[in-house]
Amino acid sequence: MKQVVGTVVSNKMQKSVVVAVDRLFHHKLYKRYIKRTSKFMAHDENDVCNIGDRVRLDPSRPLSKQKHWIVSEIIKKARIYVPPSAPVTKESGSSSEAPAS
């Protein structure tokens, strides 16, 4: 097997990620290129991959029932959105809630 490049779609497990690898092939009957996606479970030893990262996978011996790949490098880190924190001000004496009656 050879190295493959894909995108991390799940990192909810410990030391494991799921990577989606896209491939194009030419359909002889339709005479068009078709995109197919394969998902591989890969070992991430340091648990550094996040969803959206572009990674390169190397084949390895079977590590578990479904894990036969190891993350060799992170090609591109995903941009993670961090919402800007609004300054919190405490106003004394005024309440935005209606009084309960």
Side-chain angles (χ1 to χ4, degrees):
M1 290 193 289
K2 61 180 184 176
Q3 294 180 339
V4 293
V5 176
T7 305
V8 176
V9 292
S10 173
N11 65 345
K12 296 185 181 211
M13 300 160 282
Q14 297 174 359
K15 296 189 176 185
S16 298
V17 292
V18 177
V19 179
V21 177
D22 294 330
R23 62 185 171 88
L24 285 175
F25 69 95
H26 189 263
H27 197 284
K28 292 181 182 177
L29 180 64
Y30 297 151
K31 295 181 174 48
R32 302 234 188 291
Y33 281 96
I34 299 175
K35 182 170 79 169
R36 291 282 185 249
T37 303
S38 301
K39 288 184 181 179
F40 298 114
M41 194 173 281
H43 185 68
D44 180 19
E45 179 62 38
N46 299 325
D47 225 5
V48 293
C49 291
N50 287 318
I51 295 175
D53 288 351
R54 193 93 171 132
V55 295
R56 177 172 286 120
L57 302 179
D58 284 334
S60 75
R61 64 178 179 81
L63 300 170
S64 69
K65 182 179 178 180
Q66 297 172 338
K67 271 199 322 194
H68 307 280
W69 298 88
I70 294 178
V71 175
S72 62
E73 71 170 306
I74 299 174
I75 298 171
K76 184 179 179 185
K77 294 292 281 183
R79 293 177 56 195
I80 300 172
Y81 176 73
V82 178
S85 57
V88 179
T89 59
K90 201 110 167 131
E91 296 179 16
S92 61
S94 66
S95 175
S96 61
E97 297 178 5
S101 52

